[in-house]
Amino acid sequence: MTVDGSARAFRQHGRVVVVGASLAGLRAAETLREEGFVGALTMIGDEPSEPYDRPPLSKQVLLGKVPADGTALPRRRALDAEWRLGVAATGLDLTGKRVRLADGQEVGFDRLLIATGTRARPWPRETEADLDGVFVLRTADDAARLERRLAARPRRVLVIGAGFTGSEVASACRERGLEVTVAERGPAPLVGALGGVIGAVAAELQREHGVDLRCGIMVTALEGDPAGRLKRAHLSDGTTLDVDVAVIALGAMRNTEWLAGSGLGAGPRGVACDAGCRAFDVHGIVTDDIFVAGDVARSPHPLFGYQFLSLEHWGNALAQAEVAAHNMISSGPDRRPHLWVPAFWSAQFGVNIKSVGVPPMGEELIVTQGSLAERRFAAAYGHQGRVIAAVTFDHARWIDFYREQIESAAPFPPVFANVDRRPEGLRPVGADFPDPALPTHGPTVTLSGYSPSERRVTFTPARA
């Protein structure tokens, strides 16, 4: 690859700081080295452990099949980096090009990658959140603590929120033979991510596996005993539940608070960046030396109307990190865009669920292969006459096909001849997504408007 003199000099003598030592941060650092960057590299992470994989935490780790400390991410190569682990970034000086740390130190940079990801949304009442038996699930330590409690066989587990994480926790509980109640404020599990039609299938699946699923219900309070142990949950329908464990699965919060006042276009929706991963400032101007990758990023995508998308996806974090790293050490003509089509998967209650595209943009849905009743199907979502997303239950072989349909803006309803069984006379139906103004616990793709400086977000801190 041809680089100009300044790019060549930066590769030899530049200083890169990566804030966020998880999947996106690690893969970006490896890509920098693989593409010839030999300058100073500093990795900053708020957790004391080196990068580890998060998807197994709500699956194999909760089932006791893999220890939480056995999820370290494999290394593609040695990094020759300075690791600053267990210390959070607390501020950013754009003009002075310095990152402020919680221990009072500052780290200078020539180019910065922001990959601070997300954290679990906590229970809104701190005194209740501190009860022994109340858990969130985001980190390896979270998973280890929760697995130990599940192994002690609590009488009943309450999962608050039926998004993907909450549903996977409930699945693990049932696989371990534990009684579990799921409280979901929406009409069905996964409704924010996949809509009401698919949510109804997920609800049937949970109930068939013995989950006490309560939809349209909020948890109004968690009650402890005199020793500070969780003993009871109060629900919005006036009933109470005796529970030993409550898992708060109310979605994720993007880690952007440390950027307040920095001048970047950062807020609850994430850090705005262009398709080349360069961060916007609050005026919508692209910065030259600040890049963003992973769950904390929000960027426009041409396949989805150039709306800014915030993606909580393992594959997106990996792909965007590699693009960001490449662009950090490349001159303008050699930079490339990040145009990854969102994709997601989940394993729960014996079913493999995969989605591609942006289901929440879908206005209609049609089952194209298989059958909802049999829980084995592929379904496509339509938006303004074209295929915008798809979801499969135990039909993963169709995902690549639908990715191609999305990339080619194929018409909706699909016009291809069906090569699998399709229910007689089935026609498109409303996808039945909830009002976007109301918070849900499931979206892994968040549509966040068209303005890079938009920082507002509406959320009612509720209970479930």
Side-chain angles (χ1 to χ4, degrees):
M1 180 179 64
T2 301
V3 297
D4 61 20
S6 61
R8 185 179 298 110
F10 181 80
R11 291 181 182 218
Q12 295 294 321
H13 307 294
R15 298 173 301 164
V16 170
V17 171
V18 177
V19 181
S22 192
L23 173 65
L26 176 63
R27 293 301 182 240
E30 291 173 333
T31 301
L32 286 169
R33 293 303 194 205
E34 288 167 356
E35 296 200 9
F37 178 71
V38 296
L41 177 60
T42 303
M43 305 290 293
I44 298 171
D46 59 351
E47 293 185 61
S49 55
E50 293 196 4
Y52 58 87
D53 207 11
R54 296 187 190 275
L57 300 182
S58 59
K59 303 174 180 72
Q60 294 97 323
V61 172
L62 287 192
L63 290 171
K65 297 179 178 179
V66 175
D69 60 5
T71 59
L73 285 166
R75 300 293 184 86
R76 298 196 306 218
R77 58 168 296 134
L79 285 184
D80 186 23
E82 178 186 1
W83 292 83
R84 303 288 295 270
L85 299 177
V87 57
T90 58
L92 173 63
D93 178 358
L94 277 181
T95 303
K97 290 191 173 182
R98 303 191 71 81
V99 175
R100 292 187 290 274
L101 304 181
D103 62 6
Q105 297 188 47
E106 294 186 347
V107 180
F109 63 86
D110 296 312
R111 287 184 185 156
L112 171 70
L113 177 66
I114 298 169
T116 43
T118 63
R119 65 186 185 278
R121 187 179 298 279
W123 186 247
R125 296 190 184 93
E126 188 173 350
T127 54
E128 296 177 7
D130 289 340
L131 290 171
D132 181 14
V134 178
F135 297 84
V136 295
L137 181 58
R138 175 63 184 173
T139 69
D141 286 345
D142 293 337
R145 287 192 294 266
L146 179 55
E147 194 281 326
R148 286 195 296 269
R149 191 60 61 92
L150 297 183
R153 305 206 59 79
R155 294 172 299 166
R156 179 169 293 275
V157 177
L158 171 64
V159 179
I160 304 177
F164 280 110
T165 297
S167 296
E168 289 177 359
V169 171
S171 177
C173 288
R174 290 305 299 143
E175 191 166 339
R176 297 188 77 141
L178 300 174
E179 297 298 317
V180 59
T181 295
V182 175
E184 165 58 46
R185 68 182 299 164
L190 311 182
V191 67
L194 300 175
V197 174
I198 306 302
V201 177
E204 293 174 358
L205 190 65
Q206 292 200 15
R207 290 187 171 115
E208 286 180 2
H209 281 79
V211 175
D212 173 26
L213 175 64
R214 306 190 186 192
C215 296
I217 293 292
M218 294 185 294
V219 176
T220 57
L222 297 173
E223 179 186 345
D225 64 15
R229 294 184 295 261
L230 175 67
K231 71 172 185 179
R232 186 171 296 123
H234 296 259
L235 307 184
S236 58
D237 61 0
T239 60
T240 61
L241 278 174
D242 291 336
V243 296
D244 297 328
V245 171
V247 182
I248 313 304
L250 298 178
M253 301 174 66
R254 288 170 175 83
N255 293 319
T256 60
E257 290 84 356
W258 68 284
L259 296 168
S262 68
L264 290 182
R269 298 168 183 244
V271 183
C273 62
D274 69 2
C277 307
R278 297 177 300 173
F280 285 103
D281 69 13
V282 292
H283 304 294
I285 298 174
V286 173
T287 58
D288 293 324
D289 300 313
I290 313 294
F291 292 76
V292 195
D295 293 359
V296 75
R298 54 182 291 257
S299 59
H301 200 302
L303 285 177
F304 307 104
Y306 290 94
Q307 279 216 54
F308 279 81
L309 304 183
S310 301
L311 308 176
E312 296 174 35
H313 295 138
W314 192 95
N316 177 72
L318 177 63
Q320 192 170 30
E322 292 177 346
V323 170
H326 170 84
N327 291 345
M328 290 177 83
I329 57 174
S330 299
S331 58
D334 293 315
R335 288 177 172 173
R336 59 177 184 249
H338 171 62
L339 298 177
W340 191 77
V341 177
F344 185 78
W345 71 276
S346 175
Q348 51 186 269
F349 303 103
V351 173
N352 185 278
I353 302 172
K354 290 192 174 184
S355 72
V356 64
V358 183
M361 288 186 71
E363 301 149 352
E364 294 182 298
L365 175 143
I366 185 169
V367 175
T368 50
Q369 285 88 27
S371 163
L372 294 178
E374 295 179 5
R375 318 285 157 65
R376 187 173 183 274
F377 61 87
Y381 295 82
H383 173 72
Q384 296 181 353
R386 72 180 184 90
V387 175
I388 200 75
V391 61
T392 64
F393 276 46
D394 281 345
H395 238 46
R397 63 193 176 102
W398 287 101
I399 283 293
D400 288 341
F401 170 79
Y402 282 107
R403 180 181 289 106
E404 294 171 0
Q405 294 287 295
I406 295 164
E407 291 173 339
S408 63
F412 181 92
V415 295
F416 55 87
N418 191 27
V419 296
D420 199 350
R421 195 164 51 82
R422 180 168 170 177
E424 185 75 22
L426 189 61
R427 296 291 182 268
V429 297
D432 195 21
F433 282 94
D435 185 337
L438 298 175
T440 59
H441 314 131
T444 57
V445 182
T446 302
L447 302 170
S448 53
Y450 295 94
S451 171
S453 59
E454 177 61 74
R455 289 181 287 171
R456 294 172 298 171
V457 65
T458 301
F459 181 79
T460 304
R463 298 106 172 178

